[in-house]
Each structure stands twice: as structure tokens, then as C-alpha cells.
């Protein structure tokens, strides 16, 4: 391994011993940058990698809110402002009991390269809280979002840091946050938060963007092999907003999602989740209870396999893990490789453990695509939302979609070209890391050392 990368990895491990998710992503990204670092000895002289792995700023705060029984609840709040070399910090807010600093730092580090990969002027950041939105009333969600924003507002702004949603934080939560932000700053500064409802400064196409973008990316991967997406069968994990977008776009293009899953098990629907009734049901089911997808099987009379993941099923063309981090470990990866399915397209952030990812990449019969490229459509349309807010205009759904489509094609083709340029062949994972890294590095190199 390049000695500079090795040294930075060792230092990062020593400095952040209790942050496994963060170390996992740093290892994955840095090791794939070997040919770039070999070609640029000047980076070590200005401690570029050391600066890149250390967030520019970490904000941690207390969130106090009143529940419906008039008890005061206290949660932790986080915002990691990772790197703003390319533009204002941009990235989602995650509300989930699993949220801790390691997870927010891992997501922020990934986000920095993802946002760079879009080619748009945005830096990387991420935030969240250990607040559990499950089972909370509408009023509790609103009060929590207001309390969260009462602290966060002083750190964000349309030219500073522009949070959006992520797991457990959708348009409803973001728009409550925007309402509180507007009240506190006394200005209609829509661009400070993205993923808002369209009735309140949001962009058409934002809720579909991550799923649509993933399918546009998949189309390019298939085209590379001379294949059409029409008729393809997809197995995905998850049934949230991203999964729904994939189901919708796949249907529109003549493909179908025949497997999807929740924390309770997986569904096999051989006809595909492709009618408006089924798609609407997914949204309702998710809103009622994000922990169970079994009701779909009861409603539409198809198979539900409890407590299992659908990785390893043979009657599909593509796997798309779209739920959460580390869903696929080495054991599942072996099942995936044995199934003979060629395409493994990550959608959720870091859905694969590093050993599993390495193993899948080594399978000669497989093509592996990385989440930071595949799911970048979401943040891309968030940036388009900021652009509309700045111009005080609304674009049509078609205008937004056309731009999203172009961005996704660009991400794919620039990744392919970067890997080839460094003699790595058709390596979508390394290619994405290289493009993202190079853009951030280029900006940091000309902004001076700080
Ligand atoms: N949370 C999403 C992501 O990871 C969206 C971020 C955004 O729209 O800013 O990219």
C-alpha cells in the first residue's frame, strides 16, 4: 500500500478508536485512491488526506422537547460540517435511535465525495438525532423538529450549510424545521433546507429523485453490456422512499421489482410492485409502521418470508440493497455470488461491509456499483431545489427530471473514465471515489492550507 495512505489510515484508527462505521468508510475510500496518491506526491506535503479525514466542524447539542404526556424528553443532536471546499455543506438529517457520532461522521465523509461526484457546487455534511420517530404523534414530531432547529438554526443557512432529509426524516420533518428556521431568522430563506414540501418551497421530483436516479444509473450499467432495462427483474432491500422511487421508475421503464424487504422479512411478488394501487400501498404501509412489510403479502396475496433477507434469490437480474448500512456482510455476499446474478448495485449508504464489498468486486462474473454514485440523485435534486429557491422560481417536473437524468449519466461516465485513466479497468467503485476525491482535492489545493 502507498505509505502515505497507510500512515493516514493508522493515524485515523488511533485517533478515532470508538468509531467503527467511520473507520470503515475511511478505509474503503482511501485504499481505493492508491493510484491517485501515487501520482500526486504533492498532496502529502500539504497534509491533504489528514485534512480530508478530519471534519471541518462537529456540532453536538441537546434537544429538549415535550411529549404528549407533558414529560420533558432529551435527545442528542448532531451536525458534522465535513468539507465545504466545493460549496455549502450539504447532506441529510437522520432521526433514528442508532444515530451516534461514528455514524454521522461516516455519512458525512461519504457525503463529501458523493456531493463532489454530482459536479454541483456543494460541500459535504450530515446530521441527525437519536430521536426515534416511530410511534410519535404528529404534534410530538413537530415539537421535536422545532426544538432540534432551535439549536441548529444558528449553524445553517443557504450559503453556509443546507440540511435535507435522510432515514426517519422526510418532507414533513424538513418542512417543520424550515418553519422554525424562518421564524427564528425572520426571513424567507428557503434554500437553507431542502426536501421541503412542494407547497412550501420544495422542488418537484425531490421525493422520487434518489430512486429515479438509481434506476437511471442502472440503465447506464446495463447499456454498457448492451442490455435494455426493459424486462429486468430487481430484488431490493427496504420499502421506504428510495425503494418506492425505484419501484416507480422501474415500472415506467418496463422493469419490475419482484422482491423487497423490511426489518421483519422479505416479500416475493412475481408480478412486480407495479400497479398504482401497490405503489400507494407501499407509501401508506411505510407511514403507518416502518418496521413491517408483511401487510403487503396479506393485501396482495403473495409470499412473505419472515426474518430473512432476499439476498441469494436466483430469479432476478439485479440486486439493489436500499435499506441501511452493513446490510450485506461476507456471508450474504457469498450467497449473492453463488446466485449467479450479475449486477450488485448499492443504493443505501455503505450497505456492504468492506470485506463483502472486496469479495463481490473480485467475482469475475459480477458488476458492482457504489452507493455514493448510485444514490447521488437525491442530493442532486436537493441542489436543484436550492438553485430554484435562490432564483425564486419553480421548475417543472420534466425540467428537474431531465437535469437529474443528465447528472446520473455524467456520474456514471466520469467514474468509468477515471478508473480507466488510472489503469483500473471497469471499476465503478474506485472510479467514483477517484472522481469525488479529485474534485475536493483540486479545490482544497488552490484554497490554501487551513
Ligand atoms: N440524505 C440524502 C443523501 O444521503 C440526501 C441529502 C440531501 O438531499 O442533501 O444524499
Amino acid at each position: 500500500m502507498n505509505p502515505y495512505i497507510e500512515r493516514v489510515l493508522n493515524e485515523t484508527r488511533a485517533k478515532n478508536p470508538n468509531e467503527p462505521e467511520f473507520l470503515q468508510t475511511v478505509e474503503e475510500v482511501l485504499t481505493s485512491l492508491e493510484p491517485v496518491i501515487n501520482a500526486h506526491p504533492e498532496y502529502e506535503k500539504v497534509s491533504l488526506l489528514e485534512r480530508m479525514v478530519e471534519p471541518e466542524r462537529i456540532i453536538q447539542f441537546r434537544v429538549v422537547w415535550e411529549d404528549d404526556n407533558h414529560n420533558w424528553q432529551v435527545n442528542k443532536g448532531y451536525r458534522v460540517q465535513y468539507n465545504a471546499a466545493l460549496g455549502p455543506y450539504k447532506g441529510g438529517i437522520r432521526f433514528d435511535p442508532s444515530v451516534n457520532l461514528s455514524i454521522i461522521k461516516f455519512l458525512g465523509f461519504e457525503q463529501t465525495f458523493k456531493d463532489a461526484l454530482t459536479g454541483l457546487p456543494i460541500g459535504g455534511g450530515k446530521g441527525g438525532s437519536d430521536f426515534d420517530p416511530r410511534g410519535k404523534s404528529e404534534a410530538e414530531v413537530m415539537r421535536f423538529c422545532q426544538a432540534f432547529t432551535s439549536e441548529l438554526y444558528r449553524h445553517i443557512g443557504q450559503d453556509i450549510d443546507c440540511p435535507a432529509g435522510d432515514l426517519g426524516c422526510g418532507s414533513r420533518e424538513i418542512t417543520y424545521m424550515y418553519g422554525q428556521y424562518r421564524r427564528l431568522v425572520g426571513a424567507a430563506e428557503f434554500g437553507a433546507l431542502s426536501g421541503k414540501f412542494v407547497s412550501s418551497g420544495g422542488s418537484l421530483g425531490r421525493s422520487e429523485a434518489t430512486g429515479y436516479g438509481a434506476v437511471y444509473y442502472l440503465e447506464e450499467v446495463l447499456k454498457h453490456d448492451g442490455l435494455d432495462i426493459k424486462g429486468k427483474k430487481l430484488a431490493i432491500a427496504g420499502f421506504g422512499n428510495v425503494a418506492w422511487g425505484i419501484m416507480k421508475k422501474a415500472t415506467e421503464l418496463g422493469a419490475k421489482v419482484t422482491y423487497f424487504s423490511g426489518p421483519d422479512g422479505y416479500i416475493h411478488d412475481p408480478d412486480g410492485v407495479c400497479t398504482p394501487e401497490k405503489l400507494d400501498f407501499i407509501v401508506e404501509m411505510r407511514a403507518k409502521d416502518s418496521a413491517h412489510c408483511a401487510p403487503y403479502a396479506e393485501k396482495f396475496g403473495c409470499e412473505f418470508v419472515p426474518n430473512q433477507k432476499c439476498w441469494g434469490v436466483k430469479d432476478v437480474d439485479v440486486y439493489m440493497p436500499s435499506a441501511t448500512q452493513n446490510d450485506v456482510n461476507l456471508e450474504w455476499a457469498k450467497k449473492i455470488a453463488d446466485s449467479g446474478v450479475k449486477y450488485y448495485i448499492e443504493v443505501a449508504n455503505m450497505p456492504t461491509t468492506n470485506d463483502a464489498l472486496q469479495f463481490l468486486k473480485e467475482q469475475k462474473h459480477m458488476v458492482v456499483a457504489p452507493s455514493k454514485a448510485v444514490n447521488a440523485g437525491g442530493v442532486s435534486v436537493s441542489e436543484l431545489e436550492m438553485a430554484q429557491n435562490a432564483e425564486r422560481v419553480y421548475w417543472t417536473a420534466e425540467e428537474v427530471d431531465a437535469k437529474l437524468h443528465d447528472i446520473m449519466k455524467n456520474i456514471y461516465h466520469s467514474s468509468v473514465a477515471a478508473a480507466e485513466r488510472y489503469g483500473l479497468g471497469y471499476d465503478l467503485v474506485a472510479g467514483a471515489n477517484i472522481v469525488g476525491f479529485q474534485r475536493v482535492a483540486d479545490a482544497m489545493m488552490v484554497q490554501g492550507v487551513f
Side-chain angles (χ1 to χ4, degrees):
M1 194 194 291
N2 173 293
Y4 178 38
I5 295 183
E6 195 168 6
R7 178 169 62 75
V8 174
L9 279 178
N10 285 333
E11 285 169 8
T12 309
R13 287 185 195 110
K15 283 186 187 174
N16 306 277
N18 302 319
E19 297 180 354
E21 294 86 359
F22 170 62
L23 292 175
Q24 184 181 334
T25 181
V26 172
E27 278 166 18
E28 194 274 313
V29 172
L30 260 51
T31 48
S32 74
L33 296 175
E34 180 127 36
V36 189
I37 302 301
N38 288 342
H40 290 277
E42 71 276 19
Y43 291 164
E44 187 171 4
K45 299 201 174 73
V46 291
S47 300
L48 189 78
L49 291 179
E50 293 90 321
R51 289 191 281 140
M52 263 193 203
V53 297
E54 192 63 39
E56 288 181 12
R57 195 168 300 101
I58 293 177
I59 299 145
Q60 190 180 327
F61 51 96
R62 180 178 67 195
V63 186
V64 187
W65 56 282
E66 189 183 10
D67 70 19
D68 288 346
N69 298 321
H70 304 294
N71 295 316
W72 292 103
Q73 299 288 342
V74 182
N75 284 101
K76 283 183 188 295
Y78 303 91
R79 186 71 181 167
V80 173
Q81 298 181 330
Y82 224 102
N83 191 311
L86 290 173
Y89 308 102
K90 179 93 202 85
I93 297 280
R94 177 173 288 197
F95 293 152
D96 193 81
S98 68
V99 163
N100 58 37
L101 191 56
S102 172
I103 289 188
I104 299 299
K105 278 176 69 182
F106 122 62
L107 290 165
F109 188 74
E110 280 284 294
Q111 194 83 37
T112 299
F113 298 102
K114 179 197 315 194
D115 292 4
L117 197 49
T118 66
L120 301 167
I122 40 178
K126 203 85 186 191
S129 171
D130 58 359
F131 171 74
D132 186 356
R134 273 167 288 212
K136 300 292 186 295
S137 71
E138 183 76 28
E140 287 176 325
V141 169
M142 183 181 78
R143 286 197 297 273
F144 173 79
C145 291
Q146 290 175 339
F148 186 81
T149 310
S150 294
E151 170 60 30
L152 187 69
Y153 89 96
R154 70 188 69 242
H155 307 290
I156 65 174
Q158 60 189 2
D159 299 316
I160 303 167
D161 182 354
C162 315
D166 196 78
L167 214 73
C169 179
S171 292
R172 175 180 67 163
E173 289 74 14
I174 285 293
T175 312
Y176 281 144
M177 288 166 70
Y178 174 70
Q180 181 73 352
Y181 179 81
R182 180 170 77 79
R183 183 170 310 130
L184 292 169
V185 299
E189 199 196 294
F190 276 133
L193 287 139
S194 69
K196 305 176 293 293
F197 282 125
V198 177
S199 55
S200 168
S203 174
L204 288 165
R206 175 62 188 91
S207 33
E208 291 91 347
T210 311
Y212 280 23
V215 176
Y216 291 147
Y217 185 99
L218 170 64
E219 258 193 308
E220 298 305 305
V221 174
L222 294 170
K223 265 193 227 157
H224 176 90
D225 291 346
L227 299 172
D228 192 335
I229 191 165
K230 209 165 168 196
K232 296 285 174 289
K233 291 185 193 164
L234 280 40
I236 71 179
F239 66 108
N241 187 52
V242 176
W244 166 78
I246 294 173
M247 291 162 175
K248 248 179 106 174
K249 187 46 94 178
T251 303
E252 204 183 297
L253 298 177
K256 55 188 178 186
V257 172
T258 53
Y259 289 86
F260 69 92
S261 63
D264 56 335
Y266 75 80
I267 299 279
H268 178 208
D269 181 354
D271 297 332
V273 189
C274 49
T275 61
E277 192 193 357
K278 286 178 176 177
L279 288 162
D280 288 348
F281 188 81
I282 296 272
V283 178
E284 279 165 39
M285 179 167 75
R286 174 79 188 189
K288 268 189 219 142
D289 174 6
S290 62
H292 296 92
C293 67
Y296 182 96
E298 282 154 40
K299 168 91 180 167
F300 297 106
C302 49
E303 187 187 3
F304 170 69
V305 181
N307 306 318
Q308 281 296 322
K309 305 186 188 211
C310 55
W311 311 132
V313 296
K314 293 188 167 61
D315 53 344
V316 293
D317 305 285
V318 184
Y319 289 124
M320 297 178 96
S322 325
T324 190
Q325 67 266 10
N326 292 332
D327 185 22
V328 175
N329 60 16
L330 191 55
E331 204 180 311
W332 286 111
K334 287 183 178 155
K335 291 196 171 80
I336 286 172
D338 286 347
S339 73
V341 174
K342 178 169 181 181
Y343 300 100
Y344 180 77
I345 311 292
E346 291 189 334
V347 185
N349 291 311
M350 201 170 74
T352 323
T353 61
N354 284 358
D355 53 352
L357 186 64
Q358 193 50 38
F359 173 82
L360 291 170
K361 280 185 68 183
E362 282 161 10
Q363 304 304 305
K364 292 277 173 291
H365 70 285
M366 291 189 71
V367 171
V368 178
S371 55
K372 68 170 69 65
V374 180
N375 75 26
V379 75
S380 299
V381 174
S382 268
E383 197 279 345
L384 300 181
E385 181 174 331
M386 290 161 67
Q388 293 169 74
N389 293 159
E391 280 186 44
R392 305 209 188 286
V393 292
Y394 284 106
W395 297 339
T396 64
E398 291 72 26
E399 283 173 297
V400 174
D401 193 53
K403 288 189 205 299
L404 169 65
H405 203 159
D406 276 352
I407 292 167
M408 295 312 299
K409 280 192 199 164
N410 240 314
I411 290 174
Y412 171 81
H413 291 286
S414 59
S415 304
V416 172
E420 269 166 17
R421 195 162 57 243
Y422 283 102
L424 299 171
Y426 187 55
D427 186 339
L428 298 172
V429 178
N433 283 335
I434 293 171
V435 175
F437 168 81
Q438 197 64 66
R439 293 204 174 124
V440 180
D442 289 350
M444 287 176 75
M445 289 302 283
V446 293
Q447 287 180 15
V449 180
F450 62 97

